[in-house]
Amino acid sequence: MNRYKLIKNKIIFFRYIILFIALFLLLTLSQSSYSQENTEDVNEPKVLITPKKAEGVIIASIEFEGNNKTSDDVIEDNLDIRENEIFSIDKLKNSLQNLKNLQVFIKIEVEINLNKNNQLVIIFKVEEKWTLLPYFLAGSGGGTSYLVLGLYETNFIGRLYTFNFTYGCKNGN
């Protein structure tokens, strides 16, 4: 009877391992791509300007480049600057700090352009970092042994949700 129970536990363990690997592959290979409609003409000439020269000018649009996983609206919710409002350097600094605090971007750059209507087109160029962390723990002590496999994702489905999956096995159970 013990042998049957041991084989049954091993089969269950390997099923969880396969589930773990499948979930890991699903999370890493499925990257959501979000797009934002651009009302500006693509060929419209734009003039690159400094934040100091942009102070007090109305923001026509805010665009995002390089965010393959994180949704545009999630990034926009963390900005202090808004479309159709007056640009301020302090709000830009706060917006940049807010994006850095999300801890999902390796690099954040801002490009400020002046369009033909003398309004601003602000482009945030970001580079996302790897946010899915697999982990494996094994140990023993006091006559007990354990094994833990898990995944920890800090930007689940590109919405900054935290997701954690853990499988644990203690003394073969």
Side-chain angles (χ1 to χ4, degrees), residues 51-52 54-59 80-82 85-95 112 120 122:
K52 196 171 193 175
E55 188 80 41
V57 179
I58 294 176
I59 301 169
D80 285 349
I81 58 174
R82 302 273 183 245
E85 289 185 3
I86 296 174
F87 178 83
S88 137
I89 293 175
D90 290 335
K91 285 185 178 182
L92 178 64
K93 287 180 183 177
N94 289 341
S95 297
I112 303 172
L120 300 177
I122 300 175

Side-chain angles (χ1 to χ4, degrees), residues 21 42 59 65 67 80-81 93 104 106 110 121 126 133 163:
I21 291 170
V42 175
I59 301 169
E65 293 180 4
N67 56 318
D80 285 349
I81 58 174
K93 287 180 183 177
V104 294
I106 295 171
V110 178
V121 177
V126 297
L133 304 169
F163 173 79

